[in-house]
Amino acid sequence: ETGVTQSPTHLIKTRGQQVTLRCSSQSGHNTVSWYQQALGQGPQFIFQYYREEENGRGNFPPRFSGLQFPNYSSELNVNALELDDSALYLCASSLLLRGGEPQYFGPGTRLTVL
Amino acid sequence: QKEVEQNSGPLSVPEGAIASLNCTYSDRVSQSFFWYRQYSGKSPELIMSIYSNGDKEDGRFTAQLNKASQYVSLLIRDSQPSDSATYLCAVIRDNNNDMRFGAGTRLTVKP
């Protein structure tokens, strides 16, 4: 069984640029959620994708967008990067049945915005 | 009031002792509760999930849930230095699937 993978591991961008982060879900899972974790804080929910549709969104601006593909992998896109976007970006996959199922995290992408 | 609150710590216990980690949540319709362990520089790792009032045991870990008091805890028996990490409490509300996390409690187990 393959776990959740993310790429790249680290990324450095400058303010105003755009970035795309990628995630492959654990085999057998149908849902991908994205989180932002600032230093010393718990992860903050960005959005979730289920069957290629957005299935919930946290308090993040529209410049944070995503996609889910038929193989359940996913992308997180962030436009017009700001310094405060520097964080660890986590992808988590789960098998959504009735709701409330546990989510399993990938290793994360560390984004630094200069 | 934050949706999920944890004591930030640090919590320090000697090796072999019981570590007790606490979490409160504000939304009464929350139905699913999780404890994650996060080592420095790593991603969160699921330790326990609990859905019903009472205790749930898994090896050295026991999760306790009291929905009336909106309280969930994690006990770690026979604590080991390898248990030193930040422990994150997470909650999923009913009819929703986004997890809300506390800020985490940093645990140090001293040899």
Side-chain angles (χ1 to χ4, degrees), chain B:
Chain B
Q1 182 185 11
K2 294 181 181 179
E3 290 187 72
V4 182
E5 293 206 58
Q6 298 180 251
N7 291 328
S8 61
L11 174 65
S12 182
V13 300
E15 184 174 354
I18 296 175
S20 178
L21 304 163
N22 304 315
C23 172
T24 58
Y25 59 94
S26 61
D27 194 334
R28 287 193 169 273
V29 299
S30 298
Q31 293 294 333
S32 307
F33 306 87
F34 307 91
W35 284 99
Y36 285 84
R37 176 175 62 197
Q38 187 172 26
Y39 293 113
S40 181
K42 302 294 185 182
S43 63
E45 172 192 10
L46 181 67
I47 299 174
M48 296 279 288
S49 56
I50 187 166
Y51 301 94
S52 303
N53 280 327
D55 295 359
K56 179 181 178 182
E57 187 174 320
D58 184 359
R60 296 186 296 112
F61 299 97
T62 299
Q64 300 174 317
L65 175 61
N66 184 327
K67 290 186 179 180
S69 300
Q70 295 175 237
Y71 175 90
V72 59
S73 66
L74 179 70
L75 299 178
I76 306 174
R77 290 182 300 281
D78 188 23
S79 295
Q80 301 297 309
S82 59
D83 294 326
S84 298
T86 295
Y87 288 80
L88 297 163
C89 172
V91 172
I92 294 181
R93 296 173 295 168
D94 192 21
N95 296 323
N96 213 320
N97 276 301
D98 55 288
M99 276 197 302
R100 304 300 171 118
F101 283 84
T105 298
R106 185 174 170 188
L107 172 67
T108 299
V109 181
K110 295 187 175 180

Side-chain angles (χ1 to χ4, degrees), chain A residues 30-52:
Chain A
N30 58 12
T31 304
V32 171
S33 303
W34 286 92
Y35 295 84
Q36 180 195 68
Q37 187 176 26
L39 204 60
Q41 300 296 317
Q44 298 294 312
F45 175 71
I46 303 175
F47 43 57
Q48 182 181 86
Y49 278 84
Y50 170 65
R51 293 186 175 180
E52 303 177 57

